[in-house]
Each structure stands twice: as structure tokens, then as C-alpha cells.
Amino acid sequence: MATVTPQTPLGLFDIDELLDDDDRAIRDTVRRYVVDRIKPHIADWFDAGAIPARHLAKELGSLGVLGMHLKGYGCAGTTATAYGLACMELEAGDSGLRSLVSVQGSLAMYAIWKHGSEEQKSEWLPRMAAGEAIGCFGLTEPDFGSNPAGMRTRARRDGTDWVLNGNKMWITNGSVADVAVVWAQTDDGVRGFVVPTDTPGFSAPEIKKKLSLRASVTSELILEDVRLPGDAVLPGVRGLSGPLSCLNEARYGIVFGALGAARDCLDTAIDYARDRDIFDKPLAAYQLTQAKLADMTLELGKGMLLAVQLGRLKDTGLLRPEQVSLGKLNNVREALAIARECRTILAANGITLEYPVLRHANNLESVLTYEGTSEVHQLVIGRTVTGHAAFR
Ligand code: TGC
Ligand code: FAD
């Protein structure tokens, strides 16, 4: 018998006191959607390695989460904090769901919103906000992940047209996308291109046999003499700062998102430990179990405080890229540690899709790698505190 009424891990930190009514209301709406529409199906989608991406995009568009922190063009224009909280709830469902939303809103839509022409914005953003058009973001190449400056994809001028050739790898939403934002070398440095995916020469074979992010579409992009009109280029940016400015947005969402996966694991482990009798008493009543749960509660709460602080900075326009690195590095690393520790509490039951913990842990392996690996974020922070860049 429990001797005190248990509190939730985040309840212990009174996190809600740090949030305003609108942000909490948005969070609760997304949480209800995930509980009602995602959780009943997610294990099967993960098992099958397939998701109904088009259907989900429309639902997520109706929910208002696609590009939700952008203003105008059919976007909701919420606070950055609300966007972070939405990412947290989506990732409590599955990292793949949050990925779909991150890539759509923070990468593809943001690139067009921030750097696109008025025509590009009007053509794509309203449909993308509604989930009627899906976007992907092609930066990584087979030989250039952490170091996108080395990319080989090239766009050359042919009269007034552009002609693109090259390969992108590991592209979320690739084979279901209607539009790809593709970054390529030009005579004028790295430029971004808005590529309708039905353009001749464009193809996007799906990458199969993944053990992580199985409920997410991941693809290669192949560009063979893809001819685009002169106005397909994003006019507002030149150089690597173009794609990297978009990564700040998506990394910010992950700062919150990863904690959603961790929270789902911890809630599951606490429920399990309270229900499971071992040597004639609940697993939750053993000191070793409580030490694990206490340490995980602490890391989850600390990560949440960090996320809320970054949200506040972003809402006041003060958030710097190296601060996003602090959040991405810490919160994904700790979320993965929490997911693995929770799996030990569930023991054998923890290895199945009956429970979410190993699914989350496997997903978080990708989250640790994409949007800048932990090592890249360590190097960003290292550069900030020493003044020496150690990437090369
Ligand atoms: P470096 O010389 O430092 O910078 C080149 C130019 O970019 C500017 N810059 C940034 N601008 C905005 N935001 C940032 N975070 C920026 N970081 C740098 C910089 O000021 C400079 O501008 P300018 O005007 O002087 O030219 O660049 P570097 O080549 O030394 O590389 C730095 C490094 C390693 C940090 C960068 O390349 C990097 O972040 N690499 C990691 C690549 C990465 O994260 N790829 C992610 C691909 S997308 C993805 O994974 C989607 S996952 C799907 C999902 O989210 O669900
Ligand atoms: P590499 O860059 O080859 O790194 C290998 C190892 O070397 C890593 O441990 C890395 O941290 C380390 N390392 C790298 N540089 C240094 C250094 N200077 N010093 C010390 N160690 C270093 N990309 C997109 O463009 N769009 C997407 O939508 C997208 N979606 C993805 C979805 C999934 C499921 C996955 C797994 C990846 C996705 N990516 C996407 C790609 C992702 O961004 C890259 O995988 C990531 O940037 C790392 O690149 P890489 O895998 O080539 O690793």
C-alpha cells in the first residue's frame, strides 16, 4: 500500500506555474490528440515500419500544429513556448510524429517563410500549414552529414533556368513530400531551391530496414538534371547560414520533444513498478527502484526547466544558436538515458511493443544523431566557452 499520494515527476517541479494559460491550453489539446488518435495505433505503425503520412498530415494541419509558431500564410502564430510544448506532446506519442511536424514546420516551411519570395510563400505555406502539401528538407548527403559545407549537390545556371544534380540521404518525409527544399552548391555559394517533387529527374526512394524511427518516412533524394525555373531559388539567403538557420528552429523543437518521449517512459515505468510485485511487495517499494526513479525525475525536471528557459528566450527574440545546442545536447542525451533505465525497470516486458519504452529508446538513437550529433553540439558549446573552433 502506498503511504503518500504520488505526484507526477513534472508535477513535482510545478512546471505548469511557469506556463501561461494559452500555452497550457495548446499543450492539452495536442496531448488529447496524441492520446486519442496516435497512441492506439503507434505500436502497429512502428511494427509495420509504415505510417499513414498523408492522413496524419491533414489531421495535424487541422490541429494547427504545422508551422504553428510562424505568422501569416495560414499559420497559427503561437508562441515558441507553445510550439515546444506541442513538440513534447507529439514526441510523447512517438519521435516519428514529432519529426513529421518538425520537418514540415521548422525546416521546409521555415526555410520558405524566412528566405523565400512572396510567390513561393503564397504558393506553398497555406497548403503546408493545412497539411495538404508535405515538405521535406534535403541537406545531408551520403558523405556529408555533420559537415554540410562539403556537399556535392550542385545547381548550375542554364540560361535563366537552374539544373540540379546530386544525392541527399536520410531525408525525413522524402518519398511522401510534394515539395523538397534542397540545398546545393552554386557559383555563388550554397543556395536553397524549392523543388516540386513531380519535377522530371527527381526521385525519392524510401530507406527500409530501420531499427529506429520506424514510424517515420526516411528517404534518399536523387536529383538527375532536375530543371527548375530561375525563380525556384530561395532569394533571401546565400551560404551555409541558410540551412543552419532552419536547423536552429528544428533543434529547438527537439529540446522539448525529447522530454516528451522521456516523460512517457518514466510515467510507464512508475505505473509498472507500482503494479508489479516482486519478492512479495511492489517493485516501486524497493530502494534501488526508487533511486532510479528519483534520478530520472530529477533529470526530466532539469531538462524541462532548461527547455522553458530556452522557450522564454526564443519568445523574446534572444535565443542564440549555442543555447539551442545546450538544450539539444542535454535533453536528448538525458531522454535516451531515461528511456534505457526505464527499460530495466520493465525488464522482459520492456523489450516488447506492448510498452513504449524500447520504441522510444530506439527512436531517441536517431534523435541523438540528427539535427547535429551530440559531438557536434559539444563542439559548438566548446567553441563558445573556449573561443577555439575544433570542428576541423
Ligand atoms: P561555420 O563556419 O561555423 O558557419 C558557416 C556559416 O553559417 C553560420 N552559422 C549559423 N547560422 C545560423 N544558425 C546556426 N546554428 C549557425 N551556425 C553557423 C555562420 O555564422 C557562418 O555564416 P557566414 O555568414 O559567416 O557564412 O560552419 P562550419 O562549416 O564550420 O560548420 C559548423 C557546424 C559543424 C556546427 C555545422 O555544420 C553543423 O551544425 N553541422 C551539423 C549538421 C546538421 O545538424 N545537419 C542536420 C540536417 S537536417 C536533419 O537532421 C533533420 S532531422 C529530422 C527531424 O528533425 O525530425
Ligand atoms: P557523420 O557526420 O558521418 O558522423 C559520424 C560520427 O562522427 C558521429 O559520431 C559524429 O558526431 C562524429 N563527428 C562528426 N564530426 C566530428 C568532429 N568534428 N569531431 C569529432 N567527431 C565528429 N538530414 C537532412 O538533411 N534532412 C532530414 O530530414 C534528415 N532526417 C533524418 C532522419 C533520420 C532518421 C536520421 C537518422 C537522419 C536524418 N538526417 C536528415 C541526417 C542527419 O542530420 C545526419 O545523420 C547527421 O547530421 C549526422 O551525419 P552522419 O550520419 O553522416 O554522421
Side-chain angles (χ1 to χ4, degrees), residues 3-36:
T3 48
V4 295
T5 307
Q7 295 180 44
T8 63
L10 289 178
L12 185 53
F13 285 80
D14 281 341
I15 295 294
D16 275 15
E17 301 304 319
L18 301 175
L19 308 174
D20 70 26
D21 289 347
D22 287 347
D23 292 346
R24 279 201 300 259
I26 291 170
R27 177 198 63 189
D28 293 346
T29 302
V30 179
R31 184 177 296 181
R32 270 195 305 277
Y33 168 76
V34 169
V35 168
D36 293 346

PDB file of all heavy atoms in Angstrom, residues 3-36:
ATOM      1  N   THR A   3       2.011   4.887   0.847  1.00  0.00           N
ATOM      2  CA  THR A   3       1.803   5.621   2.107  1.00  0.00           C
ATOM      3  C   THR A   3       1.523   7.099   1.868  1.00  0.00           C
ATOM      4  O   THR A   3       1.028   7.779   2.751  1.00  0.00           O
ATOM      5  CB  THR A   3       3.035   5.473   3.017  1.00  0.00           C
ATOM      6  OG1 THR A   3       4.190   5.746   2.254  1.00  0.00           O
ATOM      7  CG2 THR A   3       3.114   4.074   3.594  1.00  0.00           C
ATOM      8  N   VAL A   4       1.881   7.614   0.692  1.00  0.00           N
ATOM      9  CA  VAL A   4       1.525   9.004   0.362  1.00  0.00           C
ATOM     10  C   VAL A   4       0.919   9.021  -1.037  1.00  0.00           C
ATOM     11  O   VAL A   4       1.138   8.096  -1.812  1.00  0.00           O
ATOM     12  CB  VAL A   4       2.760   9.954   0.383  1.00  0.00           C
ATOM     13  CG1 VAL A   4       3.343  10.088   1.771  1.00  0.00           C
ATOM     14  CG2 VAL A   4       3.813   9.504  -0.610  1.00  0.00           C
ATOM     15  N   THR A   5       0.157  10.061  -1.338  1.00  0.00           N
ATOM     16  CA  THR A   5      -0.420  10.162  -2.678  1.00  0.00           C
ATOM     17  C   THR A   5       0.679  10.564  -3.655  1.00  0.00           C
ATOM     18  O   THR A   5       1.319  11.608  -3.467  1.00  0.00           O
ATOM     19  CB  THR A   5      -1.528  11.243  -2.704  1.00  0.00           C
ATOM     20  OG1 THR A   5      -2.439  10.925  -1.663  1.00  0.00           O
ATOM     21  CG2 THR A   5      -2.238  11.275  -4.037  1.00  0.00           C
ATOM     22  N   PRO A   6       0.923   9.737  -4.672  1.00  0.00           N
ATOM     23  CA  PRO A   6       2.037  10.046  -5.578  1.00  0.00           C
ATOM     24  C   PRO A   6       1.766  11.286  -6.429  1.00  0.00           C
ATOM     25  O   PRO A   6       0.625  11.566  -6.789  1.00  0.00           O
ATOM     26  CB  PRO A   6       2.130   8.809  -6.470  1.00  0.00           C
ATOM     27  CG  PRO A   6       1.208   7.810  -5.914  1.00  0.00           C
ATOM     28  CD  PRO A   6       0.241   8.490  -5.021  1.00  0.00           C
ATOM     29  N   GLN A   7       2.818  12.003  -6.747  1.00  0.00           N
ATOM     30  CA  GLN A   7       2.751  13.116  -7.702  1.00  0.00           C
ATOM     31  C   GLN A   7       3.453  12.687  -8.985  1.00  0.00           C
ATOM     32  O   GLN A   7       4.333  11.840  -8.941  1.00  0.00           O
ATOM     33  CB  GLN A   7       3.515  14.335  -7.168  1.00  0.00           C
ATOM     34  CG  GLN A   7       2.941  14.949  -5.922  1.00  0.00           C
ATOM     35  CD  GLN A   7       3.803  16.149  -5.487  1.00  0.00           C
ATOM     36  OE1 GLN A   7       4.211  16.969  -6.281  1.00  0.00           O
ATOM     37  NE2 GLN A   7       4.075  16.207  -4.198  1.00  0.00           N
ATOM     38  N   THR A   8       3.108  13.349 -10.100  1.00  0.00           N
ATOM     39  CA  THR A   8       3.844  13.029 -11.330  1.00  0.00           C
ATOM     40  C   THR A   8       5.227  13.688 -11.246  1.00  0.00           C
ATOM     41  O   THR A   8       5.404  14.685 -10.534  1.00  0.00           O
ATOM     42  CB  THR A   8       3.123  13.594 -12.574  1.00  0.00           C
ATOM     43  OG1 THR A   8       3.086  15.012 -12.486  1.00  0.00           O
ATOM     44  CG2 THR A   8       1.718  13.042 -12.687  1.00  0.00           C
ATOM     45  N   PRO A   9       6.200  13.157 -11.998  1.00  0.00           N
ATOM     46  CA  PRO A   9       7.548  13.746 -11.964  1.00  0.00           C
ATOM     47  C   PRO A   9       7.546  15.237 -12.281  1.00  0.00           C
ATOM     48  O   PRO A   9       8.139  16.035 -11.555  1.00  0.00           O
ATOM     49  CB  PRO A   9       8.300  12.937 -13.015  1.00  0.00           C
ATOM     50  CG  PRO A   9       7.635  11.598 -12.999  1.00  0.00           C
ATOM     51  CD  PRO A   9       6.176  11.889 -12.763  1.00  0.00           C
ATOM     52  N   LEU A  10       6.854  15.647 -13.347  1.00  0.00           N
ATOM     53  CA  LEU A  10       6.879  17.074 -13.686  1.00  0.00           C
ATOM     54  C   LEU A  10       5.992  17.878 -12.746  1.00  0.00           C
ATOM     55  O   LEU A  10       6.249  19.065 -12.498  1.00  0.00           O
ATOM     56  CB  LEU A  10       6.496  17.293 -15.153  1.00  0.00           C
ATOM     57  CG  LEU A  10       7.554  16.824 -16.144  1.00  0.00           C
ATOM     58  CD1 LEU A  10       7.084  17.029 -17.587  1.00  0.00           C
ATOM     59  CD2 LEU A  10       8.892  17.538 -15.943  1.00  0.00           C
ATOM     60  N   GLY A  11       4.963  17.239 -12.181  1.00  0.00           N
ATOM     61  CA  GLY A  11       4.134  17.903 -11.170  1.00  0.00           C
ATOM     62  C   GLY A  11       4.967  18.311  -9.970  1.00  0.00           C
ATOM     63  O   GLY A  11       4.744  19.366  -9.358  1.00  0.00           O
ATOM     64  N   LEU A  12       5.955  17.499  -9.667  1.00  0.00           N
ATOM     65  CA  LEU A  12       6.833  17.784  -8.526  1.00  0.00           C
ATOM     66  C   LEU A  12       7.590  19.102  -8.718  1.00  0.00           C
ATOM     67  O   LEU A  12       7.956  19.770  -7.755  1.00  0.00           O
ATOM     68  CB  LEU A  12       7.803  16.609  -8.376  1.00  0.00           C
ATOM     69  CG  LEU A  12       8.771  16.558  -7.217  1.00  0.00           C
ATOM     70  CD1 LEU A  12       8.061  16.736  -5.881  1.00  0.00           C
ATOM     71  CD2 LEU A  12       9.489  15.210  -7.225  1.00  0.00           C
ATOM     72  N   PHE A  13       7.821  19.463  -9.977  1.00  0.00           N
ATOM     73  CA  PHE A  13       8.547  20.710 -10.278  1.00  0.00           C
ATOM     74  C   PHE A  13       7.609  21.909 -10.454  1.00  0.00           C
ATOM     75  O   PHE A  13       8.079  23.014 -10.719  1.00  0.00           O
ATOM     76  CB  PHE A  13       9.376  20.538 -11.566  1.00  0.00           C
ATOM     77  CG  PHE A  13      10.608  19.704 -11.374  1.00  0.00           C
ATOM     78  CD1 PHE A  13      10.540  18.323 -11.341  1.00  0.00           C
ATOM     79  CD2 PHE A  13      11.846  20.305 -11.211  1.00  0.00           C
ATOM     80  CE1 PHE A  13      11.674  17.548 -11.161  1.00  0.00           C
ATOM     81  CE2 PHE A  13      12.984  19.540 -11.031  1.00  0.00           C
ATOM     82  CZ  PHE A  13      12.905  18.152 -11.001  1.00  0.00           C
ATOM     83  N   ASP A  14       6.311  21.669 -10.356  1.00  0.00           N
ATOM     84  CA  ASP A  14       5.337  22.750 -10.595  1.00  0.00           C
ATOM     85  C   ASP A  14       5.614  23.488 -11.904  1.00  0.00           C
ATOM     86  O   ASP A  14       5.552  24.719 -11.982  1.00  0.00           O
ATOM     87  CB  ASP A  14       5.333  23.763  -9.434  1.00  0.00           C
ATOM     88  CG  ASP A  14       4.529  23.230  -8.250  1.00  0.00           C
ATOM     89  OD1 ASP A  14       3.711  22.309  -8.463  1.00  0.00           O
ATOM     90  OD2 ASP A  14       4.735  23.716  -7.130  1.00  0.00           O
ATOM     91  N   ILE A  15       5.934  22.705 -12.933  1.00  0.00           N
ATOM     92  CA  ILE A  15       6.254  23.317 -14.236  1.00  0.00           C
ATOM     93  C   ILE A  15       5.084  24.164 -14.746  1.00  0.00           C
ATOM     94  O   ILE A  15       5.279  25.223 -15.344  1.00  0.00           O
ATOM     95  CB  ILE A  15       6.614  22.213 -15.265  1.00  0.00           C
ATOM     96  CG1 ILE A  15       7.888  21.477 -14.869  1.00  0.00           C
ATOM     97  CG2 ILE A  15       6.725  22.788 -16.688  1.00  0.00           C
ATOM     98  CD1 ILE A  15       9.156  22.280 -14.888  1.00  0.00           C
ATOM     99  N   ASP A  16       3.855  23.712 -14.486  1.00  0.00           N
ATOM    100  CA  ASP A  16       2.690  24.441 -15.003  1.00  0.00           C
ATOM    101  C   ASP A  16       2.675  25.892 -14.535  1.00  0.00           C
ATOM    102  O   ASP A  16       2.140  26.761 -15.225  1.00  0.00           O
ATOM    103  CB  ASP A  16       1.389  23.746 -14.567  1.00  0.00           C
ATOM    104  CG  ASP A  16       1.023  22.626 -15.534  1.00  0.00           C
ATOM    105  OD1 ASP A  16       1.903  22.231 -16.330  1.00  0.00           O
ATOM    106  OD2 ASP A  16      -0.124  22.165 -15.496  1.00  0.00           O
ATOM    107  N   GLU A  17       3.252  26.135 -13.370  1.00  0.00           N
ATOM    108  CA  GLU A  17       3.267  27.509 -12.853  1.00  0.00           C
ATOM    109  C   GLU A  17       4.111  28.435 -13.730  1.00  0.00           C
ATOM    110  O   GLU A  17       3.994  29.654 -13.660  1.00  0.00           O
ATOM    111  CB  GLU A  17       3.821  27.546 -11.414  1.00  0.00           C
ATOM    112  CG  GLU A  17       3.028  26.707 -10.423  1.00  0.00           C
ATOM    113  CD  GLU A  17       1.556  27.101 -10.398  1.00  0.00           C
ATOM    114  OE1 GLU A  17       1.275  28.309 -10.448  1.00  0.00           O
ATOM    115  OE2 GLU A  17       0.699  26.199 -10.374  1.00  0.00           O
ATOM    116  N   LEU A  18       4.986  27.844 -14.541  1.00  0.00           N
ATOM    117  CA  LEU A  18       5.862  28.648 -15.403  1.00  0.00           C
ATOM    118  C   LEU A  18       5.214  28.961 -16.752  1.00  0.00           C
ATOM    119  O   LEU A  18       5.784  29.694 -17.557  1.00  0.00           O
ATOM    120  CB  LEU A  18       7.185  27.910 -15.644  1.00  0.00           C
ATOM    121  CG  LEU A  18       8.018  27.566 -14.405  1.00  0.00           C
ATOM    122  CD1 LEU A  18       9.229  26.742 -14.794  1.00  0.00           C
ATOM    123  CD2 LEU A  18       8.445  28.841 -13.692  1.00  0.00           C
ATOM    124  N   LEU A  19       4.049  28.347 -17.006  1.00  0.00           N
ATOM    125  CA  LEU A  19       3.435  28.465 -18.337  1.00  0.00           C
ATOM    126  C   LEU A  19       2.190  29.327 -18.257  1.00  0.00           C
ATOM    127  O   LEU A  19       1.506  29.331 -17.217  1.00  0.00           O
ATOM    128  CB  LEU A  19       3.056  27.067 -18.848  1.00  0.00           C
ATOM    129  CG  LEU A  19       4.180  26.014 -18.807  1.00  0.00           C
ATOM    130  CD1 LEU A  19       3.624  24.642 -19.189  1.00  0.00           C
ATOM    131  CD2 LEU A  19       5.318  26.418 -19.742  1.00  0.00           C
ATOM    132  N   ASP A  20       1.870  30.026 -19.351  1.00  0.00           N
ATOM    133  CA  ASP A  20       0.635  30.817 -19.288  1.00  0.00           C
ATOM    134  C   ASP A  20      -0.552  29.981 -19.786  1.00  0.00           C
ATOM    135  O   ASP A  20      -0.391  28.868 -20.300  1.00  0.00           O
ATOM    136  CB  ASP A  20       0.790  32.164 -20.004  1.00  0.00           C
ATOM    137  CG  ASP A  20       0.886  32.024 -21.508  1.00  0.00           C
ATOM    138  OD1 ASP A  20       0.369  31.040 -22.051  1.00  0.00           O
ATOM    139  OD2 ASP A  20       1.483  32.909 -22.145  1.00  0.00           O
ATOM    140  N   ASP A  21      -1.750  30.535 -19.597  1.00  0.00           N
ATOM    141  CA  ASP A  21      -2.976  29.766 -19.871  1.00  0.00           C
ATOM    142  C   ASP A  21      -3.044  29.299 -21.321  1.00  0.00           C
ATOM    143  O   ASP A  21      -3.416  28.160 -21.604  1.00  0.00           O
ATOM    144  CB  ASP A  21      -4.213  30.637 -19.573  1.00  0.00           C
ATOM    145  CG  ASP A  21      -4.385  30.842 -18.080  1.00  0.00           C
ATOM    146  OD1 ASP A  21      -3.719  30.127 -17.303  1.00  0.00           O
ATOM    147  OD2 ASP A  21      -5.171  31.736 -17.701  1.00  0.00           O
ATOM    148  N   ASP A  22      -2.674  30.196 -22.263  1.00  0.00           N
ATOM    149  CA  ASP A  22      -2.778  29.829 -23.682  1.00  0.00           C
ATOM    150  C   ASP A  22      -1.830  28.678 -24.011  1.00  0.00           C
ATOM    151  O   ASP A  22      -2.193  27.738 -24.718  1.00  0.00           O
ATOM    152  CB  ASP A  22      -2.421  31.033 -24.572  1.00  0.00           C
ATOM    153  CG  ASP A  22      -3.529  32.071 -24.557  1.00  0.00           C
ATOM    154  OD1 ASP A  22      -4.628  31.747 -24.070  1.00  0.00           O
ATOM    155  OD2 ASP A  22      -3.274  33.200 -25.013  1.00  0.00           O
ATOM    156  N   ASP A  23      -0.602  28.771 -23.500  1.00  0.00           N
ATOM    157  CA  ASP A  23       0.371  27.718 -23.785  1.00  0.00           C
ATOM    158  C   ASP A  23      -0.096  26.375 -23.206  1.00  0.00           C
ATOM    159  O   ASP A  23       0.010  25.328 -23.844  1.00  0.00           O
ATOM    160  CB  ASP A  23       1.750  28.098 -23.221  1.00  0.00           C
ATOM    161  CG  ASP A  23       2.366  29.288 -23.967  1.00  0.00           C
ATOM    162  OD1 ASP A  23       1.862  29.623 -25.051  1.00  0.00           O
ATOM    163  OD2 ASP A  23       3.347  29.868 -23.467  1.00  0.00           O
ATOM    164  N   ARG A  24      -0.639  26.434 -22.002  1.00  0.00           N
ATOM    165  CA  ARG A  24      -1.138  25.189 -21.375  1.00  0.00           C
ATOM    166  C   ARG A  24      -2.312  24.620 -22.162  1.00  0.00           C
ATOM    167  O   ARG A  24      -2.426  23.410 -22.337  1.00  0.00           O
ATOM    168  CB  ARG A  24      -1.574  25.465 -19.930  1.00  0.00           C
ATOM    169  CG  ARG A  24      -0.420  25.492 -18.946  1.00  0.00           C
ATOM    170  CD  ARG A  24      -0.919  25.248 -17.524  1.00  0.00           C
ATOM    171  NE  ARG A  24      -1.875  26.271 -17.107  1.00  0.00           N
ATOM    172  CZ  ARG A  24      -1.571  27.309 -16.325  1.00  0.00           C
ATOM    173  NH1 ARG A  24      -0.346  27.435 -15.853  1.00  0.00           N
ATOM    174  NH2 ARG A  24      -2.481  28.183 -15.996  1.00  0.00           N
ATOM    175  N   ALA A  25      -3.192  25.513 -22.648  1.00  0.00           N
ATOM    176  CA  ALA A  25      -4.369  25.037 -23.388  1.00  0.00           C
ATOM    177  C   ALA A  25      -3.941  24.358 -24.694  1.00  0.00           C
ATOM    178  O   ALA A  25      -4.472  23.301 -25.066  1.00  0.00           O
ATOM    179  CB  ALA A  25      -5.305  26.210 -23.673  1.00  0.00           C
ATOM    180  N   ILE A  26      -2.964  24.958 -25.372  1.00  0.00           N
ATOM    181  CA  ILE A  26      -2.471  24.350 -26.622  1.00  0.00           C
ATOM    182  C   ILE A  26      -1.845  22.989 -26.311  1.00  0.00           C
ATOM    183  O   ILE A  26      -2.105  21.986 -26.980  1.00  0.00           O
ATOM    184  CB  ILE A  26      -1.468  25.298 -27.321  1.00  0.00           C
ATOM    185  CG1 ILE A  26      -2.209  26.522 -27.860  1.00  0.00           C
ATOM    186  CG2 ILE A  26      -0.711  24.578 -28.427  1.00  0.00           C
ATOM    187  CD1 ILE A  26      -1.318  27.649 -28.350  1.00  0.00           C
ATOM    188  N   ARG A  27      -1.032  22.954 -25.272  1.00  0.00           N
ATOM    189  CA  ARG A  27      -0.409  21.679 -24.873  1.00  0.00           C
ATOM    190  C   ARG A  27      -1.465  20.610 -24.605  1.00  0.00           C
ATOM    191  O   ARG A  27      -1.353  19.476 -25.076  1.00  0.00           O
ATOM    192  CB  ARG A  27       0.426  21.902 -23.611  1.00  0.00           C
ATOM    193  CG  ARG A  27       1.050  20.626 -23.076  1.00  0.00           C
ATOM    194  CD  ARG A  27       1.482  20.759 -21.637  1.00  0.00           C
ATOM    195  NE  ARG A  27       0.345  21.002 -20.752  1.00  0.00           N
ATOM    196  CZ  ARG A  27       0.455  21.328 -19.467  1.00  0.00           C
ATOM    197  NH1 ARG A  27       1.639  21.482 -18.921  1.00  0.00           N
ATOM    198  NH2 ARG A  27      -0.634  21.523 -18.729  1.00  0.00           N
ATOM    199  N   ASP A  28      -2.508  20.976 -23.879  1.00  0.00           N
ATOM    200  CA  ASP A  28      -3.522  19.983 -23.513  1.00  0.00           C
ATOM    201  C   ASP A  28      -4.287  19.492 -24.735  1.00  0.00           C
ATOM    202  O   ASP A  28      -4.659  18.320 -24.817  1.00  0.00           O
ATOM    203  CB  ASP A  28      -4.474  20.576 -22.466  1.00  0.00           C
ATOM    204  CG  ASP A  28      -3.762  20.830 -21.137  1.00  0.00           C
ATOM    205  OD1 ASP A  28      -2.639  20.311 -20.955  1.00  0.00           O
ATOM    206  OD2 ASP A  28      -4.324  21.558 -20.280  1.00  0.00           O
ATOM    207  N   THR A  29      -4.508  20.395 -25.698  1.00  0.00           N
ATOM    208  CA  THR A  29      -5.200  19.983 -26.931  1.00  0.00           C
ATOM    209  C   THR A  29      -4.363  18.966 -27.700  1.00  0.00           C
ATOM    210  O   THR A  29      -4.876  17.953 -28.192  1.00  0.00           O
ATOM    211  CB  THR A  29      -5.456  21.229 -27.826  1.00  0.00           C
ATOM    212  OG1 THR A  29      -6.218  22.154 -27.062  1.00  0.00           O
ATOM    213  CG2 THR A  29      -6.193  20.870 -29.092  1.00  0.00           C
ATOM    214  N   VAL A  30      -3.054  19.252 -27.797  1.00  0.00           N
ATOM    215  CA  VAL A  30      -2.188  18.316 -28.546  1.00  0.00           C
ATOM    216  C   VAL A  30      -2.091  16.991 -27.769  1.00  0.00           C
ATOM    217  O   VAL A  30      -2.111  15.911 -28.373  1.00  0.00           O
ATOM    218  CB  VAL A  30      -0.792  18.938 -28.794  1.00  0.00           C
ATOM    219  CG1 VAL A  30       0.111  17.965 -29.536  1.00  0.00           C
ATOM    220  CG2 VAL A  30      -0.926  20.241 -29.579  1.00  0.00           C
ATOM    221  N   ARG A  31      -2.034  17.097 -26.440  1.00  0.00           N
ATOM    222  CA  ARG A  31      -1.949  15.855 -25.642  1.00  0.00           C
ATOM    223  C   ARG A  31      -3.180  14.974 -25.889  1.00  0.00           C
ATOM    224  O   ARG A  31      -3.058  13.770 -26.086  1.00  0.00           O
ATOM    225  CB  ARG A  31      -1.846  16.193 -24.150  1.00  0.00           C
ATOM    226  CG  ARG A  31      -1.647  14.954 -23.282  1.00  0.00           C
ATOM    227  CD  ARG A  31      -1.485  15.305 -21.821  1.00  0.00           C
ATOM    228  NE  ARG A  31      -0.273  16.088 -21.581  1.00  0.00           N
ATOM    229  CZ  ARG A  31       0.121  16.510 -20.375  1.00  0.00           C
ATOM    230  NH1 ARG A  31      -0.582  16.215 -19.311  1.00  0.00           N
ATOM    231  NH2 ARG A  31       1.231  17.203 -20.239  1.00  0.00           N
ATOM    232  N   ARG A  32      -4.356  15.597 -25.930  1.00  0.00           N
ATOM    233  CA  ARG A  32      -5.590  14.808 -26.157  1.00  0.00           C
ATOM    234  C   ARG A  32      -5.553  14.157 -27.530  1.00  0.00           C
ATOM    235  O   ARG A  32      -5.933  12.992 -27.698  1.00  0.00           O
ATOM    236  CB  ARG A  32      -6.822  15.715 -26.051  1.00  0.00           C
ATOM    237  CG  ARG A  32      -7.384  15.787 -24.630  1.00  0.00           C
ATOM    238  CD  ARG A  32      -8.790  16.382 -24.619  1.00  0.00           C
ATOM    239  NE  ARG A  32      -8.851  17.688 -25.271  1.00  0.00           N
ATOM    240  CZ  ARG A  32      -8.526  18.838 -24.671  1.00  0.00           C
ATOM    241  NH1 ARG A  32      -8.127  18.849 -23.422  1.00  0.00           N
ATOM    242  NH2 ARG A  32      -8.608  19.976 -25.337  1.00  0.00           N
ATOM    243  N   TYR A  33      -5.083  14.907 -28.536  1.00  0.00           N
ATOM    244  CA  TYR A  33      -4.998  14.337 -29.886  1.00  0.00           C
ATOM    245  C   TYR A  33      -4.086  13.102 -29.880  1.00  0.00           C
ATOM    246  O   TYR A  33      -4.425  12.058 -30.445  1.00  0.00           O
ATOM    247  CB  TYR A  33      -4.470  15.396 -30.877  1.00  0.00           C
ATOM    248  CG  TYR A  33      -4.089  14.809 -32.212  1.00  0.00           C
ATOM    249  CD1 TYR A  33      -5.065  14.453 -33.142  1.00  0.00           C
ATOM    250  CD2 TYR A  33      -2.748  14.564 -32.523  1.00  0.00           C
ATOM    251  CE1 TYR A  33      -4.719  13.872 -34.356  1.00  0.00           C
ATOM    252  CE2 TYR A  33      -2.395  13.992 -33.735  1.00  0.00           C
ATOM    253  CZ  TYR A  33      -3.386  13.639 -34.648  1.00  0.00           C
ATOM    254  OH  TYR A  33      -3.035  13.051 -35.839  1.00  0.00           O
ATOM    255  N   VAL A  34      -2.942  13.237 -29.214  1.00  0.00           N
ATOM    256  CA  VAL A  34      -1.974  12.125 -29.213  1.00  0.00           C
ATOM    257  C   VAL A  34      -2.564  10.906 -28.475  1.00  0.00           C
ATOM    258  O   VAL A  34      -2.449   9.768 -28.949  1.00  0.00           O
ATOM    259  CB  VAL A  34      -0.632  12.585 -28.587  1.00  0.00           C
ATOM    260  CG1 VAL A  34       0.289  11.400 -28.328  1.00  0.00           C
ATOM    261  CG2 VAL A  34       0.049  13.593 -29.515  1.00  0.00           C
ATOM    262  N   VAL A  35      -3.213  11.157 -27.373  1.00  0.00           N
ATOM    263  CA  VAL A  35      -3.790  10.044 -26.600  1.00  0.00           C
ATOM    264  C   VAL A  35      -4.899   9.362 -27.406  1.00  0.00           C
ATOM    265  O   VAL A  35      -4.967   8.132 -27.494  1.00  0.00           O
ATOM    266  CB  VAL A  35      -4.315  10.554 -25.233  1.00  0.00           C
ATOM    267  CG1 VAL A  35      -5.170   9.499 -24.545  1.00  0.00           C
ATOM    268  CG2 VAL A  35      -3.141  10.958 -24.346  1.00  0.00           C
ATOM    269  N   ASP A  36      -5.740  10.172 -28.045  1.00  0.00           N
ATOM    270  CA  ASP A  36      -6.914   9.600 -28.731  1.00  0.00           C
ATOM    271  C   ASP A  36      -6.572   9.030 -30.106  1.00  0.00           C
ATOM    272  O   ASP A  36      -7.086   7.979 -30.486  1.00  0.00           O
ATOM    273  CB  ASP A  36      -7.989  10.693 -28.939  1.00  0.00           C
ATOM    274  CG  ASP A  36      -8.573  11.151 -27.624  1.00  0.00           C
ATOM    275  OD1 ASP A  36      -8.358  10.475 -26.602  1.00  0.00           O
ATOM    276  OD2 ASP A  36      -9.235  12.215 -27.622  1.00  0.00           O
TER     277      ASP A  36
END
